[in-house]
Amino acid sequence: MSLYYEDDFVRLYHGDCLTEHHEWLDADVLVADPPHGIDYQSGRERATLAASILNDKDTSVRDGLLGAWGDRSALIFGSWKIERPTETKALLIWDTKGALGMGDLSIPWKPSHQEIYVLGSGPWQGKRGTDVLTYAPIQATAKNGRLHPHQKPVPLMTALLAKTVGSVADPTAGSGSTLVAAKALGRKAIGVELEEHYCEKAARRLSQGVLDLGALA
């Protein structure tokens, strides 16, 4: 497995971030959405969008990358259904404006948020703000623009990266939202993605250059 995409800001590798590619460990801040360990299975009818997440049976990928990263700045997406990382210092809530699937239909509430864990010793930057971040998610189906089941909106990733310092690592890059946001901010970034078809999607987005962040959502 080798370098899949490169430009003046971003390098994207195709392969395993824990056993094959360790280049991401040279970055300054880790911003990633690893498999949560919830065995995600979508019941939604879909044409091309995957109904599951590879390696989502447990938290081994998340724990492995955090173990390799050590006590440095990190923002990690996760789920309340699974135990949070041991060294979590703060919890951010991504408010999805009421749009995040149907959830458990036996109760009168639907899910409308995700968790983001703040870890590491910093540094951080920017003005202090609320720990609730309100951004609309990507439309739920591939025909409406979603490229990955857990794809994050670029404006959300841009807001997160704005609080961090230095080059960015995303060792579970998926369709590349973190890398796109980093490039838009003029930040160096290193990504790794295990599945080649997501590398292809990420490379296509990155090769478009720096566009309007709303359009990239």
Side-chain angles (χ1 to χ4, degrees):
M1 304 298 181
S2 60
L3 184 64
Y4 193 92
Y5 172 90
E6 184 175 22
D7 61 33
D8 290 342
F9 294 96
V10 177
R11 283 181 287 148
L12 173 63
Y13 295 87
H14 171 218
D16 191 301
C17 64
L18 296 177
T19 63
E20 295 176 308
H21 287 294
H22 302 110
E23 293 87 351
W24 60 278
L25 290 169
D26 295 331
D28 298 307
V29 59
L30 172 63
V31 182
D33 182 20
H36 297 172
I38 60 175
D39 194 16
Y40 170 82
Q41 300 289 332
S42 174
R44 182 186 295 271
E45 182 179 349
R46 32 184 88 209
T48 60
L49 192 64
S52 61
I53 303 292
L54 192 63
N55 296 324
D56 195 32
K57 299 290 185 182
D58 55 41
T59 61
S60 59
V61 174
R62 182 198 76 180
D63 297 341
L65 64 88
L66 286 177
W69 188 250
D71 186 32
R72 293 184 284 163
S73 305
L75 297 172
I76 301 294
F77 283 82
S79 169
W80 62 270
K81 299 177 182 179
I82 300 296
E83 186 175 358
R84 295 166 183 158
T86 304
E87 302 301 323
T88 297
K89 291 189 172 182
L91 173 66
L92 307 180
I93 295 297
W94 171 28
D95 170 12
T96 62
K97 297 187 175 182
L100 199 64
M102 297 304 295
D104 185 346
L105 297 179
S106 69
I107 60 176
W109 300 276
K110 61 175 291 186
S112 62
H113 79 277
Q114 287 189 15
E115 297 187 347
I116 307 168
Y117 311 124
V118 182
L119 301 101
S121 55
W124 308 100
Q125 66 178 358
K127 295 181 179 179
R128 298 194 78 201
T130 177
D131 57 6
V132 178
L133 309 174
T134 303
Y135 293 90
I138 310 300
Q139 291 295 316
T141 61
K143 69 178 181 179
N144 288 327
R146 181 173 289 199
L147 303 173
H148 187 284
H150 282 182
Q151 185 177 344
K152 300 299 183 288
V154 171
L156 168 65
M157 302 314 299
T158 302
L160 290 172
L161 291 181
K163 300 292 189 182
T164 69
V165 176
S167 57
V168 179
D170 186 354
T172 54
S175 62
S177 293
T178 300
L179 306 179
V180 170
K183 183 175 180 178
L185 291 171
R187 300 270 292 276
K188 297 285 188 178
I190 304 172
V192 184
E193 172 52 40
L194 183 59
E195 298 189 73
E196 186 172 6
H197 63 107
Y198 289 131
C199 286
E200 181 181 357
K201 296 176 190 296
R204 187 180 304 119
R205 297 175 74 192
L206 290 162
S207 66
Q208 293 173 352
V210 177
L211 304 177
D212 177 75
L213 292 182
L216 283 169

